[in-house]
Amino acid sequence: MSQSVLILGATGRMGRHTALAFDAAGWRVRRFRRGDDLTAAAMGVDVIVNAWNPPYSKWRAEVPGLTCAVIAAAKASGAAVILPGNVYVYGPDMPEVIGPGVPHRAEHPLGRIRREMEESYRASGVRTIVLRAGDFIDDAASGNWFDMVIAKRVARGVLTYPGRSDIPHAWAWLPDVARAVVGLAERRESLPGFTDLAFAGTTLTGTDLARACAKAIGRPVRVKRMGYLPLHLARPFWPEAKHLLEMRYLWTTPHRLDGTELDRLLPDRQETPLALVLARALQLDIQPDQPVTRGPVAV
């Protein structure tokens, strides 16, 4: 008998990819529609993927209520919850290698909200799996740092980088993350009641990324440092600006994710080579002749 999953935020980038991955794995996929009753929608499903992600400026107002609603629906239905996590919970003083067991010490607003959300799940008694990843790279423009800023002018030979180009930064290819979510869903009964895991993905400096993009497009790519003055000027008029400035430290603080435990749990997991990731993310009309490989891939 096939298993079933309810995807919250199915039209967003994470929700879209997890829905496709579960469908490909033979699961019955329900996509939650805003306005429906969440508890009713969750009845009969085995897993709820909470891919809801309001704009930063609405996190304080919306995230606590959404968290309570998901927990209530999971308790009523008996479903496990899988929560896409990020690195915000560690804060600006995070060590370079982060993952399970590293204390969550963030005190900045967005980090505090994520900490509180995860603590609510931990205290709820609902079986919860957090899969934590770095910045996403998507196969379509979806409003992330890579497509909106960093790679916007790569075709013209310029990579616009929002921090120091020599700082290691964690990246994750969304289709690979989504397949890992499915693998964890299929092994949920053997996991602790609250499981915190890291998806290593690919760790790159800005210089590494420019070099890889140059190889993908077949021409030199130089790194140009992004200026933050426009965000400062936009703060009185655009609520998201202050939160983007709040998270600026991620581009000046070296960090990589430790995926050792995820690799142990999913020993057959595969990741897409960086060359193919960039070909798809940059919408290039090429198909690099590289097989999918095991484990994280660096430049």
Side-chain angles (χ1 to χ4, degrees), residues 215-239:
K215 187 175 180 179
I217 68 172
R219 60 166 293 181
V221 173
R222 66 180 178 90
V223 179
K224 179 181 179 182
R225 182 78 174 261
M226 187 191 96
Y228 279 85
L229 180 59
L231 285 178
H232 285 286
L233 295 175
R235 288 186 64 171
F237 316 104
W238 186 39

Side-chain angles (χ1 to χ4, degrees), residues 4-295:
S4 59
V5 59
L6 175 66
I7 309 290
L8 312 181
T11 59
R13 49 182 173 255
M14 187 67 193
R16 176 174 68 89
H17 283 285
T18 52
L20 290 171
F22 275 104
D23 185 64
W27 285 58
R28 289 179 289 113
V29 178
R30 298 183 191 174
R31 294 168 172 82
F32 182 76
R33 297 178 299 178
R34 289 289 185 131
D36 288 352
D37 182 273
L38 178 55
T39 298
M43 299 307 292
V45 303
D46 300 289
V47 173
I48 300 170
V49 174
N50 183 6
W52 273 335
N53 189 27
Y56 284 158
S57 60
K58 296 182 179 181
W59 274 23
R60 175 51 64 192
E62 296 186 7
V63 168
L66 293 173
T67 300
C68 289
V70 175
I71 289 172
K75 286 184 174 181
S77 64
V81 175
I82 298 182
L83 184 66
N86 56 37
V87 302
Y88 299 6
V89 295
Y90 302 113
D93 297 326
M94 62 184 172
E96 181 167 347
V97 180
I98 49 181
V102 174
H104 297 180
R105 292 176 175 161
E107 294 296 338
H108 59 88
L110 295 181
R112 285 289 309 176
I113 293 168
R114 291 293 305 200
R115 283 181 60 188
E116 292 164 4
M117 179 179 68
E118 292 184 21
E119 288 164 5
S120 294
Y121 279 103
R122 186 187 293 272
S124 71
V126 169
R127 183 179 295 278
T128 303
I129 302 168
V130 179
L131 181 59
R132 204 175 304 286
D135 268 304
F136 291 144
I137 302 178
D138 201 350
D139 61 2
S142 59
N144 56 61
W145 270 104
F146 185 83
D147 66 62
M148 287 194 69
V149 177
I150 293 172
K152 191 172 183 179
R153 297 200 296 159
V154 160
R156 288 180 279 171
V158 178
L159 184 140
T160 306
Y161 205 69
R164 286 175 46 186
S165 61
D166 61 338
I167 294 294
H169 188 87
W171 293 97
W173 176 235
L174 266 169
D176 289 346
V177 178
R179 286 191 294 271
V181 167
V182 176
L184 293 172
E186 292 174 341
R187 291 158 177 79
R188 65 191 181 279
E189 296 297 336
S190 64
L191 299 177
F194 185 91
T195 302
D196 183 358
L197 297 166
F199 181 93
T202 302
T203 302
L204 303 166
T205 66
T207 301
D208 292 334
L209 185 56
R211 186 180 300 119
C213 287
K215 187 175 180 179
I217 68 172
R219 60 166 293 181
V221 173
R222 66 180 178 90
V223 179
K224 179 181 179 182
R225 182 78 174 261
M226 187 191 96
Y228 279 85
L229 180 59
L231 285 178
H232 285 286
L233 295 175
R235 288 186 64 171
F237 316 104
W238 186 39
E240 302 307 305
K242 71 174 183 178
H243 297 294
L244 292 172
L245 290 167
E246 173 190 337
M247 302 309 300
R248 182 177 177 176
Y249 73 88
L250 289 174
W251 302 99
T252 57
T253 303
H255 63 279
R256 66 186 71 241
L257 285 152
D258 180 2
T260 304
E261 182 62 14
L262 180 64
D263 290 342
R264 185 188 69 80
L265 291 170
L266 303 178
D268 298 323
R269 184 174 65 88
Q270 295 180 323
E271 292 193 15
T272 308
L274 182 60
L276 183 53
V277 166
L278 293 177
R280 293 176 62 187
L282 297 172
Q283 303 293 299
L284 301 177
D285 189 22
I286 59 174
Q287 290 296 322
D289 185 19
Q290 296 188 40
V292 174
T293 60
R294 170 70 175 84

